[in-house]
Amino acid sequence: MRLTQHTVRLVLAQPLRISRSTMTARDAVRLTVEHEGLTGHGEAVTSVFYGLDTPTLQRLAALAGERLTRFAGPETALYALRVGELTEPGTPAAVTAAVEAALLDLVGKRTATPVHRFLGSPVAPRAATARTVSLVSPGRAAAQARGLAEAGFSVIKIKAGDRDQDTDLDRVRAVRAAAPAARLLLDPNGAWSPGQARTLLPLFAELGVEAVEQPLTPGDPEALARLAARSPVPVIADEDAVSYEDARRLAGRVHGINVKLAKCGGVHAALRIATLIEGSGTDLMLGCLTASTLGIAPAVHIADRARWTDLDGHLLLAHDPWTGIGGDDGAVGANGLPGLGVRPRTGGEGVTGAGTGARAYVRSAAS
């Protein structure tokens, strides 16, 4: 087997502002595993929060490629990955997830089987996905929410954590008025203190917010559990629930855990967490980083396990270089194609190879 990599720049259609940062673009490293004339693909994206820059991802991908040459085929390599014998100790979860995705894609193509069938779902999963509204003015939030509702989105996730708490409340009120039938999720990205959360959560409950992700600054999961025990709104752990052990400590003590493949290590790691929390009173949320369809696709194949699905990362891009999971109508879904079921997008638009000097194609940001 042979692993190659290619880095592209993913440009957002408009800036994504959250409580701790504003993002306009990120790099994606595509991993391609080739064996006996077939190829499987996976993707890892850069992340300031998780300390992953482009050179780091490229270096770790190269190391994974060297280790892959030891295996006779993708099936044995996939098994070795699951038991921790393929990647180097300490390899970031995002890289492990990307290698796993490429191997799953390749095994699926070799057996003419969609990935979701390997994972125990005979029917292709399809789920309504949340669509994110960032820290924009209440007026812009209302306009975006109205457009999303008209397009078919039934779940809207609103970013919070503005310096002015009244602006957060006004933003939610505006979205609620513009999309009265939508289910609303709220995500402060850890911007609140326990005191602020105790004050604000009842107000957001009155506005019909269905659940709140990581309201408290990460690093004190006990405080998050104490808040959840008295919160009038379900509390979902995100930044405080990265690993299996994190999930074990919080199972039954928060209302939900946001599982992202890039932070837990891939679909099999995610399914271990799903099994762990089943019946505990803690529900599964499937989340993502901003990525292309290729990076989002593995999670779509397990979307039927989640109470909340937030797999809109590819929908935030000015141009998505891959296609195959949908989402523009408010729902993402796997299909019957072998492997991950995604394919490169063809046409006049494209993305730059990072560092090549080629021009990125950027859609103008809508107001």
Side-chain angles (χ1 to χ4, degrees):
M1 286 189 296
R2 184 172 71 99
L3 184 147
T4 58
Q5 59 176 287
H6 179 66
T7 303
V8 299
R9 189 74 167 162
L10 301 177
V11 180
L12 275 67
Q14 50 189 307
L16 177 64
R17 181 182 168 226
I18 65 175
S19 60
R20 61 174 177 256
S21 63
T22 299
M23 183 176 62
T24 58
R26 70 182 349 146
D27 285 348
V29 178
R30 185 188 74 224
L31 309 184
T32 298
V33 179
E34 182 179 355
H35 183 65
E36 296 181 346
L38 293 174
T39 55
H41 307 285
E43 179 181 272
V45 296
T46 54
S47 169
V48 173
F49 185 80
Y50 292 112
L52 295 175
D53 58 19
T54 305
T56 298
L57 287 178
Q58 292 169 335
R59 176 179 58 81
L60 293 170
L63 289 174
E66 292 173 6
R67 294 174 76 96
L68 270 176
T69 61
R70 307 175 188 178
F71 298 92
E75 293 83 2
T76 56
L78 191 58
Y79 175 79
L81 184 74
R82 293 173 191 167
V83 298
E85 296 177 356
L86 195 156
T87 54
E88 296 278 354
T91 298
V95 176
T96 301
V99 174
E100 180 199 52
L103 292 171
L104 283 169
D105 191 31
L106 181 53
V107 171
K109 290 172 181 174
R110 279 164 59 83
T111 59
T113 306
V115 163
H116 61 83
R117 291 187 188 169
F118 289 143
L119 305 176
S121 296
V123 178
R126 181 174 174 82
T129 182
R131 185 69 155 77
T132 300
V133 172
S134 72
L135 290 182
V136 295
S137 69
R140 285 190 66 190
Q144 291 176 11
R146 189 174 299 108
L148 291 172
E150 291 172 354
F153 285 87
S154 59
V155 186
I156 297 175
K157 183 166 88 168
I158 308 163
K159 291 294 185 178
D162 204 292
R163 291 180 180 179
D164 181 358
Q165 296 174 7
D166 288 338
T167 301
D168 279 343
L169 289 163
D170 288 343
R171 186 180 302 108
V172 174
R173 290 189 187 101
V175 170
R176 170 55 73 207
R183 298 164 55 198
L184 302 186
L185 306 177
L186 193 68
D187 186 8
N189 288 105
W192 298 340
S193 68
Q196 287 174 313
R198 288 192 295 270
T199 298
L200 290 170
L201 287 174
L203 302 178
F204 286 114
E206 291 176 2
L207 294 174
V209 169
E210 180 176 318
V212 179
E213 284 184 62
Q214 195 66 41
L216 303 183
T217 304
D220 190 352
E222 292 300 315
L224 191 69
R226 289 193 297 270
L227 179 67
R230 298 187 176 186
S231 174
V233 181
V235 171
I236 301 170
D238 183 359
E239 288 90 342
D240 269 330
V242 175
S243 67
Y244 181 89
E245 286 304 310
D246 293 337
R248 183 183 61 78
R249 284 189 288 269
L250 286 170
R253 305 178 67 204
V254 294
H255 303 93
I257 288 178
N258 186 344
V259 173
K260 298 174 183 174
L261 305 191
K263 70 175 182 177
C264 74
V267 292
H268 283 91
L271 290 175
R272 284 188 69 217
I273 293 174
T275 300
L276 169 72
I277 65 177
E278 186 175 3
S280 71
T282 297
D283 291 314
L284 180 69
M285 179 178 191
L286 272 178
C288 65
L289 302 182
T290 304
S292 78
T293 281
L294 174 61
I296 304 297
V300 172
H301 283 268
I302 59 172
D304 52 347
R305 269 79 160 189
R307 174 178 174 182
W308 300 284
T309 301
D310 180 22
L311 299 177
D312 70 337
H314 62 305
L315 302 176
L316 306 181
L317 302 178
H319 172 69
D320 183 353
W322 294 79
T323 186
I325 60 172
D328 288 332
D329 61 351
V332 291
N335 53 48
L337 296 176
L340 293 175
V342 302
R343 56 194 181 277
R345 188 183 299 274
T346 59
E349 289 187 304
V351 294
T352 61
T356 64
R359 183 172 67 88
Y361 291 80
V362 185
R363 227 186 277 145
S364 60
S367 59

